[in-house]
């Protein structure tokens, strides 16, 4: 069985109850997952071809680099959101949480003068802490994920303004900004942030498809009750999933602040919607139990390509929002239609 469809196994290695198995075969589930990824990839190719025909500058090296660079923050947030949504949850706090993590990086590195490595590590741990709190609110207190993370969204947004004094925190060190804007590829100006996204996407994909955490993430979203009956500590693994998502939030805070050269406390609002949109467009079901990292990366690229291509064609911002919203509606409708056809 694949990680997407394998039922959770108890810690003692015994077989789980029969009702823990998803109502689809492993082979069929895998084929449908791959088909969804192929459809998303095909949509990405079609969009690129349309924009390339409309304006050849779209395929220039500089513009492609800009598209990839713009994908970094949304993609990083979407990777964490993928785990949460597959587990049957939702996280609305990633946008303002990212802004708060950027402020924390500014405080640690600029205000306190800590080494960059220490500041980066501290920011990642702080992001994990935000996710841990979300996980505790959902699994221990029993709050609905929507309410728990909505509250964290407001708290994080407020704390970002309080801690920073409602003013940007600027980074004087070029070594920090090079995390995003620098290039380790000789003879090119290819940004490091894109390489970082590629590396963490691979790690996330391996975690989701090859580890116990990934298997339990799918099991939680497929049938939480059956997973609990099979001996899995559902509360603990929910906390782990949200904590992992918090790590990605912290990383996104580092990448966006390094790109801007400053921690902007007012940024972040709206990023959670784009991250969730990337996950949904990539084929992850909002009902949980199905999705992939590859699909999420494709979904993030689709959003970036749409935004960039519409800007190249000088389409007004309000119409850009209309088009992006329409794409999300089509993606969700396709997921629902596929489920109805399976039944």
């Amino acid at each position: 069985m694949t990680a997407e469809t394998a039922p959770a196994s108890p810690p003692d290695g015994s077989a789980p109850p029969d009702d823990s198995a998803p109502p689809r075969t492993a082979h069929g589930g895998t084929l449908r997952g791959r088909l969804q990824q192929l459809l998303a990839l095909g949509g990405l190719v079609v969009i690129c071809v349309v924009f390339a025909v409309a304006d050849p500058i779209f395929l220039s090296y500089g513009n492609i680099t800009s598209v990839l660079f713009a994908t970094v923050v949304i993609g990083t947030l979407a990777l964490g959101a993928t785990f949460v949504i597959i587990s049957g949850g939702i996280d609305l706090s990633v946008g303002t949480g990212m802004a708060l993590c950027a402020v924390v990086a500014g405080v640690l590195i600029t205000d306190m003068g800590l080494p960059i490595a220490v500041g980066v590590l501290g920011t990642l741990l702080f992001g994990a802490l935000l996710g841990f709190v979300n996980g505790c609110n959902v699994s221990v207190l029993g709050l609905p994920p929507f309410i728990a993370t909505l509250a964290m969204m407001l708290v994080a947004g407020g704390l970002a303004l309080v801690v920073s004094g409602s003013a940007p925190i600027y980074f004087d060190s070029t070594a920090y900004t090079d995390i995003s804007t620098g290039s380790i590829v000789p003879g090119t100006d290819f940004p490091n942030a894109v390489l970082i996204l590629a590396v963490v996407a691979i790690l996330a994909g391996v975690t989701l498809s090859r580890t116990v955490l990934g298997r339990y993430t799918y099991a939680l979203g497929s049938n939480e009750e059956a997973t609990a009956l099979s001996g899995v500590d559902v509360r603990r693994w929910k906390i782990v999933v949200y904590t992992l998502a918090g790590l990605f939030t912290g990383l996104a805070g580092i990448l966006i602040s390094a790109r801007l050269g400053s921690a902007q406390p007012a940024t972040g609002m709206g990023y959670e919607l784009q991250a969730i949109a990337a996950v949904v467009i990539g084929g992850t079901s909002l009902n949980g139990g199905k999705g992939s990292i590859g699909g999420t990366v494709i979904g993030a690229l689709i959003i970036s390509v749409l935004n960039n291509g519409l800007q190249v064609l000088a389409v007004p911002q309000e119409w850009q929002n209309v088009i992006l919203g329409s794409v999300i509606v089509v993606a969700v409708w396709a997921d629902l239609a596929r489920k109805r056809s399976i039944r």
Side-chain angles (χ1 to χ4, degrees), residues 20-67:
S20 66
R24 62 182 185 273
T25 65
H27 181 64
T30 300
L31 289 178
R32 285 192 292 271
R34 290 178 178 175
L35 177 60
Q36 182 67 22
Q37 287 189 45
L38 289 175
L39 289 174
L41 181 59
L44 176 61
V45 171
V46 170
I47 294 171
C48 289
V49 170
V50 170
F51 285 137
V53 171
D55 194 334
I57 197 175
F58 178 81
L59 291 181
S60 65
Y61 173 79
N63 193 64
I64 292 177
T65 302
S66 297
V67 170

Side-chain angles (χ1 to χ4, degrees), residues 215-259:
R215 184 164 68 250
Y216 286 166
T217 298
Y218 282 111
L220 287 171
S222 296
N223 193 329
E224 182 178 327
E225 182 179 356
T227 302
L229 291 174
S230 68
V232 176
D233 189 339
V234 170
R235 288 186 175 182
R236 183 182 70 180
W237 285 104
K238 276 189 178 181
I239 293 174
V240 172
V241 168
Y242 278 93
T243 302
L244 178 61
L247 275 175
F248 284 104
T249 300
L251 178 59
I254 293 169
L255 293 175
I256 193 171
S257 60
R259 176 180 179 178

Side-chain angles (χ1 to χ4, degrees), residues 329-342:
V329 169
V330 171
V332 175
W333 174 82
D335 180 54
L336 294 174
R338 186 174 61 254
K339 288 179 180 179
R340 286 193 291 266
S341 66
I342 293 173

